Amino acid sequence: MFKGLKPIVYGGREVWPLIEGGKGVSATNHASAGAWAAAGGIGTVSAVNADSYDPTGKIIPQVYASRTRRERHDELIQYGIAGGIAQVQRAWELSGGVGAININVLWEMGGAQQILHGILEKTKGMVSGVTCGAGMPYKLSEIASSYGVSYLPIISSARAFRALWKRAYSKAAEFLSAVVYEDPWLAGGHNGLSNAEDPLRPEDPYPRVKALRETMREGGIPDETPIVMAGGVWNLKEWEHWIDNPELGQIAFQFGTRPLLTQESPIPQGWKDRLMTLEEGDVLLHKFSPTGFYSSAVRNPFLRNLEARSERQIPYSGEQAGDHTHQLDVGVKGRNFWVTRGDLLRAREWYGQGYTAALKTPDNTLVFVTTEERDMIRKDQTDCMGCLSHCGFSSWKDHDDYSTGYLADPRSFCIQKTLQDIAHGGDTEQNLMFAGHAAFRFKKDPFYSNGFVPTVKQLVDRILTGD
């Protein structure tokens, strides 16, 4: 047992302060979460468009039959509720009453509140807590506490937690079981990097977590309420100075990337194999997500194509003005596209390379793509099923008039389509592959030598040794 590490009381029982990071779509499910809980930790079912099953146990494909976005959004909510319930029930059975089961939702996912209500209503006594990030989930405390369930907000700064606490969480303080600090420069998936922070200048997490604890103390939150360090946590020995540290209070640790490579992990074998090949620097912190948030994923051809697409971009004016003195004569229909002479020459060069279609962005720029890409982008935008509360790619919004009011952005992509595809066996090179920035360590850690893939129990036991 690693020195200083002690069980905590959570969900009415003693558990190790080790949390499985929730990863959607379907990258953590009942199998991984149930096994993590059975090993004595806190397993996390992703409730982001989770899989449900037919009577034979086969995954039900999430196919949308309705004609309008709003109707497809309603279908998505029903899929989300049914899938979340199925995953929690199965995880609970696998846990054998040991450890604890959490569910994870993204506040910016479409229909988040309806889905959360639907799952918690049908899984009473099974879910210990709800982790939630990707936005400012003010209503999380109200919803979770109404079912007698604890909540664990995911934040990336003391400032964000202070706002949540003052506006809502202080009214349901007894159900706040932990605060998850997700480091925006280290964690995989979406994160809370603010506009005031530089994505290229990582900050030391220690002073940020210390500031979070000080903010929690200002609110009267006891030091026994854990702060969960999430992002970049590979083993405990590298965090020894965080354990039993009076400056920080009780600390727990979240593991998001390492559980991807276990026997119970639901991700396809091709994804697992790819993780074993990663080098340092292969994970990119980027802002292509239609959520508008920064996120981290493997810099595979899918991401490189998005990078290249944004590089083939020029500003334009609707009339001749300033240095926009030349009419664009490639990629567009009509004469109301005025650009600089240099951008005209660049556009002609891209056109000659086969990027013959120019698409407008919300920022009064044009991006040049192939006609095949143009058709795929337009189809994906048309097929939108409202998986986000606000989608930059399709201009969908899940309330009021169901539109963001902005032009759909061709520099982004349909996140539901690609995450569903990679989670269910799609091409790992042509889909978004989320991973934390420590994923390169799979290749270097002797624990995984000779292609060894541990069970969840073996991984948790390994972590408990400090390695």
Side-chain angles (χ1 to χ4, degrees):
M1 195 61 53
F2 190 68
K3 54 187 175 182
L5 192 73
K6 303 180 184 70
I8 60 173
V9 176
Y10 180 77
R13 58 174 65 95
E14 282 196 345
V15 300
W16 291 115
L18 308 176
I19 300 175
E20 174 194 26
K23 299 174 287 296
V25 170
S26 300
T28 52
N29 70 353
H30 69 277
S32 61
W36 195 274
I42 302 172
T44 305
V45 165
S46 170
V48 181
N49 299 108
D51 288 330
S52 52
Y53 305 91
D54 67 19
T56 69
K58 293 181 179 179
I59 293 173
I60 298 173
Q62 296 189 12
V63 178
Y64 298 88
S66 299
R67 295 187 62 184
T68 69
R69 287 184 178 185
R70 187 173 176 181
E71 291 171 329
R72 291 194 294 270
H73 175 67
D74 290 338
E75 289 183 76
L76 176 131
I77 289 173
Q78 294 310 309
Y79 277 131
I81 293 172
I85 293 169
Q87 295 298 332
V88 169
Q89 290 173 338
R90 289 177 175 226
W92 175 255
E93 292 171 5
L94 287 172
S95 72
V98 179
I101 298 294
N102 283 352
I103 62 174
N104 173 252
V105 294
L106 302 181
W107 198 245
E108 287 298 315
M109 73 184 194
Q113 296 182 50
Q114 292 168 267
I115 291 171
L116 195 50
H117 276 294
I119 295 170
L120 293 177
E121 177 65 36
K122 298 294 184 180
T123 57
K124 292 178 179 177
M126 299 180 192
V127 175
S128 295
V130 181
T131 57
C132 181
M136 292 293 279
Y138 291 109
K139 291 190 176 181
L140 173 63
S141 56
E142 176 188 329
I143 296 172
S145 62
S146 71
Y147 296 94
V149 170
S150 66
Y151 62 100
L152 303 83
I154 302 172
I155 53 86
S156 293
S157 69
R159 179 184 177 187
F161 179 75
R162 180 181 286 110
L164 291 166
W165 178 256
K166 287 185 175 181
R167 178 167 171 178
Y169 293 175
S170 59
K171 300 170 187 175
E174 66 272 26
F175 288 96
L176 177 69
S177 61
V179 178
V180 182
Y181 169 77
E182 185 178 66
D183 190 272
W185 292 278
L186 296 174
H190 291 102
N191 64 66
L193 195 70
S194 73
N195 291 332
E197 294 162 329
D198 189 339
L200 300 178
R201 293 190 176 184
E203 296 182 15
D204 181 357
Y206 187 95
R208 294 170 69 91
V209 171
K210 181 174 177 286
L212 172 59
R213 177 59 74 187
E214 290 167 355
T215 299
M216 292 169 68
R217 287 169 179 155
E218 290 170 8
I221 301 169
D223 279 10
E224 290 73 25
T225 300
I227 293 175
V228 181
M229 176 61 205
V233 181
W234 188 262
N235 57 42
L236 295 180
K237 65 185 180 184
E238 295 172 349
W239 303 84
E240 181 179 354
H241 61 297
W242 287 51
I243 300 171
D244 277 341
N245 185 328
E247 278 195 326
L248 301 180
Q250 177 66 56
I251 294 289
F253 296 94
Q254 180 168 296
F255 294 83
T257 296
R258 286 191 80 173
L260 286 171
L261 196 58
T262 62
Q263 293 182 27
E264 293 90 347
S265 169
I267 66 172
Q269 189 59 47
W271 190 344
K272 294 179 181 181
D273 292 343
R274 186 72 175 89
L275 289 172
M276 292 293 290
T277 70
L278 296 178
E279 302 285 353
E280 189 167 6
D282 280 352
V283 173
L284 177 70
L285 178 60
H286 66 90
K287 207 176 182 184
F288 295 115
S289 170
T291 62
F293 293 112
Y294 280 93
S295 65
S296 290
V298 175
R299 194 175 180 223
N300 59 6
F302 176 86
L303 268 190
R304 290 178 185 274
N305 180 58
L306 288 170
E307 289 180 280
R309 185 186 301 171
S310 280
E311 288 169 2
R312 294 190 304 273
Q313 182 174 192
I314 56 174
Y316 72 92
S317 299
E319 57 187 29
Q320 187 175 7
D323 58 356
H324 288 193
T325 54
H326 289 67
Q327 282 186 316
L328 185 63
D329 56 8
V330 292
V332 294
K333 294 180 179 179
R335 300 172 61 85
N336 295 322
F337 295 89
W338 293 84
V339 298
T340 67
R341 181 178 183 279
D343 284 342
L344 174 64
L345 296 176
R346 289 204 299 160
R348 287 174 177 172
E349 182 180 356
W350 295 329
Y351 190 90
Q353 293 170 350
Y355 302 103
T356 57
L359 300 177
K360 292 181 182 179
T361 80
D363 298 320
N364 291 324
T365 63
L366 296 167
V367 291
F368 281 74
V369 298
T370 66
T371 54
E372 291 78 12
E373 278 186 299
R374 177 201 62 196
D375 294 346
M376 180 190 72
I377 289 167
R378 288 178 174 170
K379 183 179 188 308
D380 287 347
Q381 290 170 335
T382 301
D383 291 346
C384 172
M385 74 295 290
C387 76
L388 298 174
S389 64
H390 298 76
C391 177
F393 176 67
S394 67
S395 73
W396 156 268
K397 183 175 68 176
D398 72 354
H399 53 283
D400 298 335
D401 61 357
Y402 301 98
S403 172
T404 63
Y406 295 99
L407 192 67
D409 196 337
R411 295 167 296 187
S412 188
F413 57 93
C414 176
I415 197 165
Q416 179 73 195
K417 172 187 172 183
T418 186
L419 291 183
Q420 287 284 356
D421 193 38
I422 193 170
H424 298 98
D427 189 343
T428 58
E429 297 301 284
Q430 298 301 327
N431 280 298
L432 183 68
M433 187 194 307
F434 281 141
H437 289 262
F440 72 94
R441 297 181 69 167
F442 282 121
K443 190 174 182 179
K444 296 177 177 292
D445 192 326
F447 184 57
Y448 301 95
S449 60
N450 299 315
F452 176 67
V453 176
T455 64
V456 165
K457 178 66 164 59
Q458 288 171 322
L459 175 58
V460 171
D461 286 348
R462 175 79 170 187
I463 290 169
L464 287 171
T465 69
D467 289 324

